[in-house]
Amino acid sequence: MIGFAVVLVAFLRSGIIPRPAGVGLVIAYAAYIGYTLL
Amino acid sequence: MEIAVNALLTIVGLVILCFGGSWLVSGGVAIAKKLRISQMIIGLTIVAYGTSTPELAASMAAAVGSHTDLILGNVVGSNISNIGMVIGVCAVVSTLVVKKATTRKEVPIMIGVTLLLIAMSVDGEISQYDGVILVAGLIAFTAYTLSRAKKERNEATEDSASTKTRVPRALALIVVGAALLYFGGFLTVENAVLIAENLGISETVIGITIIAIGTSLPELVTSVIAIRKGHTDIGIGTIVGSNIYNILMIMGIS
């Protein structure tokens, strides 16, 4: 949870969350769900 | 046949979610204009409260049934999906340009309450004493946002006050929108669970995937709609506000 929050802070401080970053977040979330299921 | 009915009801639930999200955003924007406060404040308060109702309902049900592990799992899972899934999908839909000033105070608060929850969980339980601290934090955060709204209102120009907004209509949009989000989310999750059960998927997998993602659907739909309408601050405010309320309100009350 802290990891995701820190990533969000980094993006928000830069003032922009570009599309590739969005794709990265979705992949990271999918990986988290996959890891939890395993 | 049963699966087809459940699939149809899941789609109906998603459509209701879309209407609810759209109306909640429209009502929130109208109120922000009328009260001369920023869309970020509306996102942090009215919209965040509205989209957090499914998490609150699920956690209250878990608390009544003494499934206290589920409450922590629900809050942590929802906060992670709010950032990973909701912010991620929103950024995929459209590049998010965020005003630095709008998140200068709220985001550190979000990090602070997250660290507070972790510190409270170190001893293996969230006690009633911890709950009182979290509720006190909720009251303090609400007071802070209200004082910020009051300050913004005083600083607003007279021009912005001249917008013609019908307050009863805006309030009705917010109330009906939040109710539709709750009902749509409930319908979607209930039927998705039934489909998964019919397909023989385990309860654990259902809990981690459908419930965790399902209770974040209102935030997802509302934020995507807000961002597509050009109200990025409401979208970001909803996520930051929801994460703060999930910890302070839901953990505190439950």
Side-chain angles (χ1 to χ4, degrees), chain A residues 1-2 4-9 11-23 25-27 29 32-33 36-37, chain B residues 79-81 83-85 87-89 91-98 100 107 110-111 114-115 118 205 208-209 213:
Chain A
M1 185 163 60
I2 283 289
F4 275 95
V6 169
V7 170
L8 178 64
V9 172
F11 282 133
L12 292 178
R13 284 184 71 86
S14 72
I16 189 164
I17 306 177
R19 210 163 264 180
V23 174
L25 277 173
V26 173
I27 291 171
Y29 181 68
Y32 155 76
I33 289 286
T36 312
L37 291 176
Chain B
N79 282 11
I80 290 173
S81 66
I83 299 172
M85 183 177 73
I87 294 279
V89 171
V92 171
V93 169
S94 170
T95 296
L96 303 178
V97 179
V98 187
K100 286 185 187 178
V107 173
M110 184 185 80
I111 297 283
T114 304
L115 291 171
I118 291 169
V205 174
I208 291 171
T209 55
I213 295 171

Side-chain angles (χ1 to χ4, degrees), chain B residues 177-221:
Chain B
L180 288 180
L181 280 176
Y182 178 79
F183 181 66
F186 177 77
L187 198 64
T188 305
V189 170
E190 283 291 307
N191 285 283
V193 167
L194 288 173
I195 291 170
E197 282 176 352
N198 276 330
L199 294 174
I201 298 170
S202 75
E203 275 188 12
T204 311
V205 174
I206 293 170
I208 291 171
T209 55
I210 299 173
I211 306 293
I213 295 171
T215 53
S216 287
L217 276 178
E219 279 92 346
L220 177 67
V221 173

Side-chain angles (χ1 to χ4, degrees), chain A residues 8 12, chain B residues 38-49 51-52 82 87 98 102-103 106-107 110 141 145 219 222-223 226-227 231-245:
Chain A
L8 178 64
L12 292 178
Chain B
S38 69
Q39 293 181 5
M40 175 59 79
I41 292 289
I42 289 295
L44 282 167
T45 52
I46 296 172
V47 182
Y49 264 116
T51 57
S52 282
N82 275 348
I87 294 279
V98 187
T102 54
T103 53
E106 287 75 17
V107 173
M110 184 185 80
F141 179 69
T145 46
E219 279 92 346
T222 306
S223 297
I227 286 159
H231 307 302
T232 309
D233 279 359
I234 285 193
I236 300 291
T238 302
I239 303 307
V240 174
S242 283
N243 280 12
I244 293 170
Y245 289 129

Side-chain angles (χ1 to χ4, degrees), chain B residues 23-108:
Chain B
W23 290 358
L24 185 60
V25 170
S26 299
V29 171
I31 289 289
K33 283 180 182 169
K34 182 67 183 177
L35 297 179
R36 287 172 284 149
I37 55 178
S38 69
Q39 293 181 5
M40 175 59 79
I41 292 289
I42 289 295
L44 282 167
T45 52
I46 296 172
V47 182
Y49 264 116
T51 57
S52 282
T53 50
E55 282 93 343
L56 181 62
S59 296
M60 292 300 281
V64 170
S66 299
H67 303 297
T68 47
D69 282 354
L70 282 178
I71 302 169
L72 186 61
N74 185 23
V75 168
V76 172
S78 289
N79 282 11
I80 290 173
S81 66
N82 275 348
I83 299 172
M85 183 177 73
V86 181
I87 294 279
V89 171
C90 287
V92 171
V93 169
S94 170
T95 296
L96 303 178
V97 179
V98 187
K99 291 174 200 159
K100 286 185 187 178
T102 54
T103 53
R104 204 169 46 205
K105 289 175 183 169
E106 287 75 17
V107 173

